[in-house]
Amino acid sequence: MKRIAFFDTKDYDLPAFEARAKEAGISFKFFDTRLGEDTAGLANGFDGVCVFVNDDLSAPVIEKLYKGGVRVIALRCAGYNNVDLKACFGKIHVVRVPAYSPYAVAEHTMALLLTSIRRIHKAYNRTREFNFSLSGLTGFDLHGKTVGVVGTGKIGRIFIDICRGFGMRVVAYDKYPAEGSGIDYVSLDELFAASDVISLHCPLSEETYHLIDEAAIEKCKKGVVILNTSRGALIDAEALLGGIKRRVIGAACLDVYEEESDIFFRDFSGHIVEDDTLARLISMPNVIVTSHQAFLTEEALAAIAETTMKNLTDFFSGGRLENELCYNCGKVEECRRGRSPRCF
Ligand code: NAI
């Protein structure tokens, strides 16, 4: 029986993983705590760790895990900006869940957009208090508006299809445009200038860090609605706040936040939140924040558990690691994918 230390466990993780563990010959030890330098020691003697978006997999943590015997990191997510892949190379294999339900994220993005522009969040609170006034609830039609989609991968493309269903005009920017997709690709500057709604669906990298900053906001149409269900640091939160105060940004819907790792997925309802930028954003009538919940559907949770179990059983059986990542990903020369069953 292989032993996996499961970090940042939430109640919704347990049913899907517990149901599949025995059959896969894997025993999980579920820790509520996140993985980080202080908690890496909990994984000593385990064969692997299973982690999520806000666990810390920086070089010092990787070193501690390796010394403790860990040989595989199984990410329960698609994004891997929290993993130092170079530090892992040659020591610990990293596997991820590249797609679980791109529909879940794309649909949540549209739910946020509709909630915001049709003021559903305000109407819900009003009618619960038997306030049936319509004052201040005027929205706008999506039909005929332009949406700018940054990142036309799995999620971005489904979001594009949903927007087309609403009769929106779609323009997009992607570093690697999908040839023959029929998507109208434009430069980032053109996208900023043309879009009534901007939705981010690209990964976080050095290149995309603060993609929406003060300079970008200045290029946007007045009243633009910004949607971010990708990664928080794609947006400079201070600049976003400034854009909202200057009335350039008409609304913002954020499922992710730059400094979310100390806040999201936890209950702070009885506490004073120290992050003034987040507190100010949440206080704005035209900002909606959800706490990284876009992925959270039954279908996605089942798919995450299914793929993670397969990743782990493939690793322990010595098989090909279909969902392995390494720091050579995307580099044509160095990438061993297709030539070798594993990255090292
Ligand atoms: P994907 O890998 O299918 O698509 C990403 C797209 O971004 C690709 O087309 C790629 O060419 C493009 N891209 C790469 N670098 C770029 C750059 N510098 N500028 C513009 N485009 C660039 O990924 P997928 O599955 O569509 O996921 C997108 C993002 O959504 C993930 O990176 C992840 O951060 C986020 N996500 C958020 C979830 C949530 O619960 N809020 C759940 C799952 C994913």
Side-chain angles (χ1 to χ4, degrees), residues 52-53 76-79 97-105 154-155 231 292 294-297 299-305 307:
F52 198 49
V53 290
R76 308 193 291 279
C77 51
V97 183
Y100 23 99
S101 174
Y103 301 100
V105 182
K154 292 176 285 295
I155 296 170
R231 284 293 180 267
H292 209 134
F295 75 100
L296 196 60
T297 65
E299 291 80 358
L301 290 174
I304 288 169
T307 305

Side-chain angles (χ1 to χ4, degrees), residues 111-128 136-137 251-253 282 284-289:
L112 285 173
L113 175 59
L114 286 172
T115 302
S116 169
I117 66 159
R118 301 310 303 267
R119 323 281 189 241
I120 306 294
H121 53 308
K122 291 181 174 295
Y124 175 77
N125 284 328
R126 271 191 203 180
T127 54
R128 285 174 67 82
L137 298 186
C253 302
I282 288 176
M284 295 283 181
N286 51 354
V287 174
I288 296 179
V289 174

